[in-house]
Amino acid sequence: EGHDEPVPVGDADGPWRYIVDPVDGTRGLLAGKRSAWVLLGAGREARTLEELEVGAAVEIPTRRAAVGLVAHAAIGGRAHAVDDDLTSAGRPPRPVDLVPRGGDLARRFVTVVRLAPGSHAPIGEWADRHLAGLEVYDDLAPCTGGYLMGLAAGNDAAVFDPRPLLVPGHLAAHPYDLASIVVTRAAGAVVEALPPGPLDAPLDCTTPVAWAGYADEEVARRLRPPPGSLPAAAPT
């Protein structure tokens, strides 16, 4: 936000490429309803989300919160997280285990993102068809970083964001909204493109990204959209 085009950081000829969302979830935070997140990702000579090697997610909690989550990970390693004490007590950060939760989907959060004013009908129609027979809940807060951390922490079973496919040209997630995918994957969750495949979106702030996340491979096998159930993604 504020820099839609690449900005040199340090040695402009260096190998690292960074993508950052400085505040993801601004609306919920300003209303005092939900945390926002600082999201960061980096990779050597990285060109796409799939090529990111490290990531971090830092919670910006509401003013009533006493702790804020800070998580980071490198590709091939495990996710590390702590709760930072935001009170005046000065207590040291407390380690947190990020553990996605698979298993039974009944009455779990399986969200289909539909932040697309005036276009809920086609998204809802697909959601009803795809999730038929499941008693699950939607978390419709407009914050991709929050969804990713919800998957990592076991709060969410699955998330689908098919907006670029079902209502192209409308609001959508962008690559910088997914800058922290390394953290979510390191925790054990699955994050991929829609239709299913690698997240080959370029490291920019403008490309619409259709994506899905699952608590684990078992949930992915159960809920992954079958071929032909979604329109093909437009070339980027």
Side-chain angles (χ1 to χ4, degrees), residues 85-235:
D85 186 353
L86 303 179
T87 70
S88 59
R91 288 183 287 264
R94 185 176 71 247
V96 173
D97 289 329
L98 294 179
V99 182
R101 185 163 69 93
D104 188 8
L105 296 177
R107 300 184 180 182
R108 299 281 307 284
F109 279 94
V110 176
T111 294
V112 178
V113 181
R114 53 191 89 187
L115 176 61
S119 299
H120 288 189
I123 301 173
E125 181 183 2
W126 180 83
D128 287 345
R129 188 167 61 249
H130 185 59
L131 302 177
L134 290 176
E135 183 182 352
V136 293
Y137 306 136
D138 275 323
D139 178 3
L140 299 182
C143 181
T144 301
Y147 292 140
L148 291 172
M149 294 310 297
L151 289 165
N155 304 325
D156 296 88
V159 179
F160 300 91
D161 189 347
R163 289 176 294 172
L165 307 176
L166 299 179
V167 286
H170 216 306
L171 297 177
H174 301 106
Y176 74 153
D177 295 309
L178 290 125
S180 63
I181 57 170
V182 173
V183 176
T184 303
R185 287 173 168 175
V190 177
V191 184
E192 61 187 30
L194 283 175
L199 278 165
D200 287 332
L203 299 185
D204 64 28
C205 302
T206 57
T207 300
V209 180
W211 68 279
Y214 309 95
D216 57 21
E217 284 289 352
E218 179 187 353
V219 173
R221 285 193 294 270
R222 294 173 63 185
L223 293 183
R224 187 174 279 129
S229 64
L230 282 166

Side-chain angles (χ1 to χ4, degrees), residues 1 21-26 35-39 60 142-146 176-177:
E1 288 173 330
D21 190 340
V23 185
D24 185 33
T26 311
S35 293
W37 297 85
V38 180
L39 309 175
I60 311 173
C143 181
T144 301
Y176 74 153
D177 295 309

